[in-house]
Amino acid sequence: MRKSQGKSLWLAATALALAASLPVAAEIAVSGNDNKRALVDGVNTVVRDPKPDTIAVIDLSGGEPRIIGQLAVPHSVIGPPNSIAVSPDERLALASSAEKIDPADPTKTVPDNRVSVIDLSSMPPKLVGTVEVGAGPSGVSINPAGTLALVANRNGGTVSVLKIAGQQVSVVGTVTIGAATTGASHAQFTPDGRHALVTRDNDSIVSVLRVDGETVTKLERDLTAGVRPYSAAVSPAGWAVVGNVGRSVNNTGDQDTVSLIDLSREPFRTIDTVTVGPTPEGVMASPDGVHAVAVVHNGSGRAPADPLRGRSMVKLLKVENGRLTVVAEAPAGDWVQGMAFSRDGKTLLIGNMADKQVAIYRIDGDRLEATGRSLPVDGGPAALGTVPVSLR
């Protein structure tokens, strides 16, 4: 056998082995898991000598979600639970890390500045790069073309612009949103990739960015949603939802809101707001263009005997005739965080940080059901990411 023929056969065999390791017609969700923090008698506590943070890759394609790979990657529960982004071809994930253990004092944390680049094209997943951005990188999103990413730097008042070329990710710009105290929390592309929304939870503003190729600029157009907008999600149907955590981010027990933003015409505007309960820390739009979900803490992070302690909830929202309504709800675990829909919108994953479980729910129209099944992950699931719903 010629040497070139032998090499060709080896390459073919390697490709077949790789294909066999991946799910057929892959449909991937990625869970980012924080091991640095835990709830201790209602107190958000820094863990001594924590295990490494991780990501877990979840296959949704077979009808019953299953974990197919895990990897040690820096991650953080600080910031909204939108700190994982998956590329449209499901070959790459970005995981931001808002904080790390303070090298000078292991009982404290300090802002991190890393975004990890993860290869999802083989199992187990591989860390293929680390990009340094601003202070406290939090909510991140990838544009519909898979060529650009935005990450909100929560401790820097900026948004970093990342260029994606295969597995190479690099910083190509920084957009100033406001002062470092602005609390820039989540940068979310619109479905056409021409704009982005940036939530600012410290001054209760949603800023709008214009995207032209790799050039990103802040428009002189800020939106008013509710008190302390934190997490955002967009729908291909031309709307966005924003979770407003209010003063309840400090567990005051007050009722907080989710706002509906009309993206179908410019300038964008807030057109409705609905009460959902204390601290709706995360929101996610459904692929069906009609529904969204919000995860509501409801004081579940408080000590068991605290009168303001409640049970975390998942709220199913419906968008109809420019109005937002709550149509169903189901219980969740303590310190509820990330959300991810299957492509058909019928399976919903919810991350329960305190329980270190990703719970499985079913959705049928306006009905939401907790199945009672869950996937254990190596750390507290602080965020979940899938391909943007605008590309499904």
Side-chain angles (χ1 to χ4, degrees):
M1 181 183 292
R2 295 179 183 176
K3 185 175 182 181
S4 61
Q5 289 177 319
K7 183 177 181 180
S8 296
L9 289 172
W10 178 83
L11 288 172
T14 300
L16 287 172
L18 176 59
S21 70
L22 295 170
V24 177
E27 185 181 344
I28 296 299
V30 178
S31 174
N33 313 307
D34 186 344
N35 276 307
K36 299 182 297 299
R37 288 187 175 267
L39 281 180
V40 180
D41 293 328
V43 178
N44 186 336
T45 304
V46 177
V47 176
R48 280 190 171 273
D49 300 319
K51 297 190 301 181
D53 305 322
T54 66
I55 61 103
V57 182
I58 302 169
D59 176 23
L60 288 162
S61 62
E64 188 61 39
R66 62 190 180 98
I67 294 176
I68 56 175
Q70 298 198 62
L71 174 71
V73 170
H75 198 57
S76 175
V77 71
I78 299 302
N82 309 90
S83 51
I84 297 283
V86 177
S87 64
D89 61 6
E90 296 188 322
R91 300 181 67 85
L92 200 73
L94 302 178
S96 63
S97 177
E99 67 170 9
K100 61 184 178 181
I101 298 294
D102 185 349
D105 185 351
T107 66
K108 299 179 180 179
T109 61
V110 294
D112 203 346
N113 70 339
R114 293 173 292 174
V115 175
S116 297
V117 183
I118 303 154
D119 176 11
L120 300 176
S121 64
S122 63
M123 288 297 127
K126 300 176 183 177
L127 178 65
V128 293
T130 301
V131 183
E132 294 187 353
V133 292
S138 298
V140 59
S141 66
I142 296 176
N143 71 345
T147 57
L148 211 65
L150 299 175
V151 56
N153 301 311
R154 186 164 163 72
N155 297 94
T158 61
V159 169
S160 293
V161 183
L162 309 182
K163 178 181 179 179
I164 302 173
Q167 293 186 348
Q168 301 298 314
V169 180
S170 57
V171 178
V172 293
T174 302
V175 183
T176 298
I177 302 301
T181 55
T182 295
S185 298
H186 186 196
Q188 175 64 62
F189 281 101
T190 56
D192 61 8
R194 296 176 53 246
H195 294 90
L197 304 178
V198 181
T199 58
R200 299 163 51 165
D201 86 304
N202 282 350
D203 57 10
S204 296
I205 288 172
V206 178
S207 290
V208 181
L209 307 182
R210 175 178 286 124
V211 182
D212 184 6
E214 295 175 7
T215 301
V216 181
T217 53
K218 181 181 177 295
L219 298 181
E220 295 304 316
R221 168 64 178 169
D222 292 329
L223 306 177
T224 301
V227 178
R228 302 192 73 175
Y230 201 50
S231 170
V234 301
S235 169
W239 50 262
V241 284
V242 175
N244 307 301
V245 294
R247 291 186 63 247
S248 290
V249 74
N250 298 317
N251 286 318
T252 63
D254 299 326
Q255 295 289 309
D256 297 310
T257 62
V258 173
S259 293
L260 178 66
I261 296 175
D262 182 6
L263 302 176
S264 66
R265 54 180 176 154
E266 297 181 37
F268 305 147
R269 64 205 74 194
T270 304
I271 58 174
D272 198 20
T273 296
V274 63
T275 300
V276 295
T279 321
E281 187 160 331
V283 292
M284 184 63 60
S286 168
D288 66 7
V290 176
H291 294 91
V293 293
V295 290
V296 180
H297 281 204
N298 198 25
S300 62
R302 286 180 170 267
D306 194 299
L308 292 178
R309 177 179 170 83
R311 185 164 190 181
S312 293
M313 301 296 293
V314 182
K315 300 290 182 89
L316 181 64
L317 311 175
K318 188 172 185 177
V319 178
E320 192 172 31
N321 299 322
R323 301 302 302 270
L324 190 62
T325 55
V326 178
V327 293
E329 63 181 41
D334 288 352
W335 208 355
V336 63
Q337 291 290 324
M339 306 133 288
F341 281 99
S342 61
R343 251 177 227 149
D344 61 10
K346 296 184 182 301
T347 299
L348 174 66
L349 302 181
I350 297 291
N352 296 314
M353 176 76 184
D355 305 331
K356 298 186 178 181
Q357 302 274 340
V358 175
I360 302 170
Y361 293 73
R362 299 296 186 197
I363 294 177
D364 183 6
D366 291 345
R367 292 184 296 176
L368 171 67
E369 176 194 3
T371 67
R373 299 190 299 278
S374 60
L375 304 172
V377 291
D378 191 3
L384 283 161
T386 53
V387 172
V389 296
S390 57
L391 298 181
R392 300 184 184 186

